[in-house]
Amino acid sequence: MDSYLIQVNGHGDRAPMLDVHLKTNGNSISLGKVKGRKPRWAVRASEMSKKTFNPVRAIVDSMKVEPNPKKAMISLSLGDPTVFGNLPTNDEVTRAMKEVLDSGRYNGYAPSVGYQSCREAVAAYYNCPEAPLEAQDVILTSGCSQAIELALAVLANPGQNILVPRPGFSLYKTLALSMGIEVKLYNLLPEKAWEIDLKHLESLVDEKTACLIVNNPSNPCGSVFSKSHLQKILAVASRQCVPILADEIYGDMVFADCKYEPIATLSTNVPILSCGGLAKRWLVPGWRMGWILIHDRRDIFGNEIRDGLLRLSQRILGPCTVVQGALERILHRTPPEFYHNTLSILKSNADLCYAALSAIPGLQPVRPAGAMYLMVEIEMEHFPEFENDVEFTERLISEQSVFCLPATCFEYPNFFRVVITVPEEMILEACSRIQEFCEM
């Protein structure tokens, strides 16, 4: 076997010399001395990792406070409906998963965009005359968060910008900045049930704007846009020729006195990538099943965006195959009363929380219409001992063991967000403690 020997000769701080001898088939060949360098470790984090920043984690992790040991902790901060066990998924959903596991048919790799039959199931579920869908219009993803990541990655290049709601879900900014994409924040108006400030939105558009993110129903606001307001949003996008990334993970999770309108059903010419998934409506966020629905009736995206999504999906080879195997049954056999019961609980909690917090001087909750959240304004003049919402919520933890997210996490200071998925008795206890805190 051929072999070679490298001998390093060096003195002090002088650059070492490499004495190279090759030994081939028993014959030694000397190549003499060549300049080299002493090997040393130089491992550095990537630029993408350095640009990745989660404002929720950054703020929450910096809140170095301990809850009151005399009071049990009540967390109204985490948008996971499964935490307290009061909102289980439906038995039909669980049975579908068990049968797939027992079948042993979904343990291998699937196409990166998902099984054809599963894409057909999602297309059939969301298809309607106003926004027709076929299997080729569906990309299955590892949760809605990956759907948003793929949609951003296919629409925007480093140096371009995207339009993001304020207050808004922090993941948009986290993903965009890691990709070198600028974030421009457009305002939502609490006095108008969190409608978009359309003039402000349109003023932000420039030649580098790659897409507009519309989150409806909203996290963190719990708001639901009316049909007329969605039409006005589409008019702005149409005038400015800006495609829409629609985050509709809370689609259909609206209260009885409100109606959810998928934005694609109202669009005649604006191309839309609609992101959704099982996480919230079916109460299984850990199953990591999401999708992108491609609405492009004027062929503005064309093959380029579809091909781009296909290539991007190949980076992780698609979502969980076991959940894919159960997907058709989950979508088409979950009984309507399951959705109704979930919404009844959320609506009852929202009403309880809104009524209780409205009665507290210095707090102004904004009534939600859907999703799982409620935003509360802190009238800071009533609380001169606090400079901002972060200090307010820190003290609320330390004195009352109630954890609400400061809305600085959502680029909207002097508000806080309440999650309304907790059991009713915890909502009432938390509101009672908040009242006690505010009256001290």
Side-chain angles (χ1 to χ4, degrees), residues 118-360:
C118 301
R119 297 168 73 195
E120 289 172 355
V122 174
Y125 187 79
Y126 288 103
N127 178 61
C128 63
E130 300 81 9
L133 286 168
E134 299 177 359
Q136 66 180 6
D137 303 317
V138 177
I139 306 290
L140 298 184
T141 63
S142 182
C144 188
S145 57
Q146 198 213 5
I148 294 168
E149 179 185 27
L150 295 184
L152 282 177
V154 81
L155 292 175
N157 285 307
Q160 290 187 289
N161 64 72
I162 61 171
L163 308 181
V164 170
R166 174 184 177 271
F169 184 36
S170 60
L171 184 68
Y172 310 139
K173 183 174 182 179
T174 298
L175 293 173
L177 295 182
S178 73
M179 299 177 193
I181 301 165
E182 181 188 358
V183 171
K184 291 188 173 184
L185 302 171
Y186 65 82
N187 291 330
L188 305 182
L189 304 171
E191 67 274 16
K192 293 187 176 181
W194 300 110
E195 286 189 346
I196 295 175
D197 183 338
L198 295 169
K199 288 185 178 179
H200 182 236
L201 168 66
E202 193 157 12
S203 73
L204 297 175
V205 180
D206 62 23
E207 68 280 358
K208 292 185 178 181
T209 301
C211 74
L212 160 64
I213 295 182
V214 177
N215 178 208
N216 180 55
S218 166
N219 175 12
C221 300
S223 56
V224 181
F225 292 149
S226 67
K227 179 178 180 179
S228 62
H229 190 61
L230 288 168
Q231 288 170 329
K232 292 174 183 177
I233 297 168
L234 286 165
V236 172
S238 179
R239 279 196 301 273
Q240 299 295 336
C241 297
V242 175
I244 288 177
L245 191 170
D247 179 357
E248 298 180 322
I249 187 62
Y250 296 97
D252 290 311
M253 290 187 73
V254 300
F255 303 150
D257 52 354
C258 194
K259 184 181 180 183
Y260 165 67
E261 304 273 0
I263 193 169
T265 62
L266 306 175
S267 174
T268 57
N269 66 326
V270 176
I272 296 167
L273 297 181
S274 175
C275 300
L278 292 182
K280 307 300 184 179
R281 194 176 187 216
W282 285 269
L283 306 176
V284 286
W287 290 11
R288 311 312 301 139
M289 175 54 62
W291 47 73
I292 300 172
L293 309 180
I294 305 170
H295 297 279
D296 187 28
R297 292 190 291 283
R298 294 289 183 89
D299 201 32
I300 295 169
F301 285 150
N303 290 331
E304 185 168 347
I305 294 299
R306 292 175 185 271
D307 292 344
L309 285 170
L310 170 61
R311 287 191 293 271
L312 289 168
S313 73
Q314 292 169 347
R315 293 189 300 172
I316 68 164
L317 300 180
C320 176
T321 55
V322 176
V323 185
Q324 286 189 61
L327 190 53
E328 181 174 9
R329 180 167 171 176
I330 290 171
L331 293 175
H332 296 286
R333 296 192 189 180
T334 303
E337 56 266 24
F338 165 70
Y339 308 123
H340 175 76
N341 291 340
T342 301
L343 289 173
S344 294
I345 293 170
L346 295 178
K347 176 66 162 61
S348 176
N349 283 355
D351 289 344
L352 285 171
C353 194
Y354 179 82
L357 297 180
S358 294
I360 301 174

Side-chain angles (χ1 to χ4, degrees), residues 10-16:
H11 300 279
D13 55 1
R14 287 179 291 172

Side-chain angles (χ1 to χ4, degrees), residues 11 15 47 63 75 165 171 212 224 283 302 314 375 405 425 431:
H11 300 279
E47 289 303 311
M63 296 170 66
S75 179
L171 184 68
L212 160 64
V224 181
L283 306 176
Q314 292 169 347
M375 286 278 276
L405 267 190
E425 61 272 17
C431 289

Side-chain angles (χ1 to χ4, degrees), residues 9-21:
N9 298 316
H11 300 279
D13 55 1
R14 287 179 291 172
M17 303 294 290
L18 301 186
D19 208 356
V20 182
H21 299 272

